[in-house]
Amino acid sequence: QQQVKQSPQSLIVQKGGISIINCAYENTAFDYFPWYQQFPGKGPALLIAIRPDVSEKKEGRFTISFNKSAKQFSLHIMDSQPGDSATYFCAARSSGSARQLTFGSGTQLTVLP
Amino acid sequence: EAGVVQSPRYKIIEKKQPVAFWCNPISGHNTLYWYLQNLGQGPELLIRYENEEAVDDSQLPKDRFSAERLKGVDSTLKIQPAELGDSAVYLCASSRNRGGYNEQFFGPGTRLTVL
């Protein structure tokens, strides 16, 4: 069974701090690892994504670190802001014709002002 | 560019009643997805359409759920009869199939409450 395990379930960070969310997967056939951000009452929106042949990808304050041998990847939010308060989902896409996204269970991030 | 449109946004029904959700994808997006999102969980795929063809419906509970995408544009997801456990958010997403990674754009969802 394809699974993506995400932790922590909730995270509280002070403004300006670093938020770190971790994910682990089992299926080595995953070939793409996106992170989604979801605000209350909205659908998830793509935040940043990485392919397994890259160990790190940075876009502004958001960085994905990828460890292929450990089958783990993480999202780092630098200089966290109250506007970053949302639920974050990691996901993994299966290779082949299915191209199905499997999502983690989500992390509710609260950034205190 | 308009995003994915879903209606209704909220629906409250009694168990055993039928319910239908409607989705209008982003113009030009030939792939359409329906997801189920339970409270505190990530989205789970129910069905995926390539144009008007359902190419992945293995996760759709076919005894009570049905979906259609006539003319390869709008889609409707139906539950009949609804059960208490069907209370969740139903998300629609669409993408443009160009090979490689095709970003999925999500609608705001329909929150279903079954009493």
Side-chain angles (χ1 to χ4, degrees), chain B residues 19-90:
Chain B
V19 64
F21 315 123
W22 175 79
C23 174
N24 179 242
I26 293 173
S27 177
H29 283 194
N30 57 322
T31 306
L32 185 145
Y33 313 77
W34 282 103
Y35 286 89
L36 166 70
Q37 185 174 26
N38 285 306
L39 186 64
Q41 297 295 318
E44 299 173 37
L45 181 68
L46 289 172
I47 189 168
R48 174 171 66 100
Y49 282 93
E50 294 289 347
N51 299 303
E52 65 274 9
E53 181 182 1
V55 297
D56 185 357
D57 64 355
S58 58
Q59 306 300 319
L60 190 71
K62 299 180 183 63
D63 57 337
R64 297 183 300 108
F65 287 65
S66 64
E68 62 182 10
R69 192 185 184 196
L70 300 177
K71 301 181 181 179
V73 181
D74 295 0
S75 177
T76 302
L77 178 68
K78 298 178 181 178
I79 308 175
Q80 183 171 9
E83 298 179 352
L84 295 176
D86 296 331
S87 295
V89 174
Y90 292 82

Side-chain angles (χ1 to χ4, degrees), chain A residues 1-66:
Chain A
Q1 181 181 6
Q2 297 183 350
Q3 279 190 328
V4 178
K5 296 181 180 180
Q6 184 172 346
S7 63
Q9 185 175 2
S10 62
L11 180 62
I12 299 175
V13 175
Q14 293 285 342
K15 178 182 176 182
I18 302 174
S19 303
I20 302 175
I21 304 171
N22 301 300
C23 284
Y25 63 96
E26 299 171 357
N27 188 344
T28 56
F30 289 139
D31 66 353
Y32 197 78
F33 300 87
W35 284 88
Y36 284 81
Q37 180 187 55
Q38 186 176 26
F39 292 103
K42 305 290 187 182
L46 179 65
L47 185 64
I48 186 173
I50 196 168
R51 297 186 184 280
D53 55 347
V54 176
S55 61
E56 184 176 284
K57 183 175 182 180
K58 183 177 181 179
E59 290 184 359
R61 297 184 293 108
F62 301 91
T63 299
I64 301 177
S65 297
F66 190 85

Side-chain angles (χ1 to χ4, degrees), chain B residues 82-100:
Chain B
E83 298 179 352
L84 295 176
D86 296 331
S87 295
V89 174
Y90 292 82
L91 294 165
C92 178
S94 68
S95 67
R96 191 190 306 271
N97 188 355
R98 298 177 294 186

Side-chain angles (χ1 to χ4, degrees), chain A residues 98-109:
Chain A
R99 303 280 184 179
Q100 179 174 330
L101 278 179
T102 300
F103 286 83
S105 55
T107 296
Q108 186 170 355
L109 171 65

